[in-house]
Amino acid sequence: MSDKEEMQDEMDNIIVLTDDEGNDVEFEWLDTIEMNDKSYVVVLPTEEDAEEVVILKIEPEDDEDTFVGLDDEDEINAVFEAFKEKNKENFDFED
């Protein structure tokens, strides 16, 4: 894959979400996890110093999907464990 193709591939994974204060924030879409009849997205902020992924629940609303933050630590941890298992060949995870 050429550098240009690789850069385009990375750009295809960039999504822009609007936070609670109306600010646009760019994220790299890492994966979608299906678990317990629910869908979650695992994203990474594109900021240089970003070290932690963000896990959001996908909720269909009208004709669009809405991404909702999670408050339940057990749910967050379960989704993250499923993400790690599914992507253990693609990422180096710290314990």
Side-chain angles (χ1 to χ4, degrees):
M1 180 180 292
S2 72
D3 288 343
K4 186 176 181 179
E5 289 172 324
E6 197 169 304
M7 191 159 64
Q8 181 60 43
D9 192 41
E10 285 179 22
M11 293 301 294
D12 289 344
N13 290 333
I14 302 298
I15 61 171
V16 178
L17 301 176
T18 304
D19 67 14
D20 293 336
E21 297 172 3
N23 301 310
D24 288 343
V25 182
E26 285 190 354
F27 292 90
E28 179 181 1
W29 186 297
L30 300 178
D31 203 353
T32 302
I33 302 295
E34 303 287 334
M35 194 169 77
N36 300 329
D37 296 324
K38 297 177 185 170
S39 298
Y40 302 88
V41 62
V42 181
V43 295
L44 180 68
T46 58
E47 304 164 353
E48 280 188 39
D49 58 346
E51 295 181 5
E52 293 187 4
V53 298
V54 176
I55 298 172
L56 304 168
K57 186 175 3 176
I58 302 171
E59 292 188 352
E61 191 171 294
D62 298 325
D63 291 335
E64 294 184 8
D65 288 336
T66 301
F67 300 100
V68 179
L70 302 176
D71 294 324
D72 183 345
E73 280 296 316
D74 291 335
E75 186 176 17
I76 293 168
N77 290 333
V79 173
F80 187 62
E81 288 302 316
F83 170 74
K84 287 183 0 182
E85 181 62 30
K86 182 178 175 185
N87 290 281
K88 61 186 171 190
E89 301 295 323
N90 302 325
F91 300 102
D92 292 326
F93 295 102
E94 295 179 16
D95 288 330

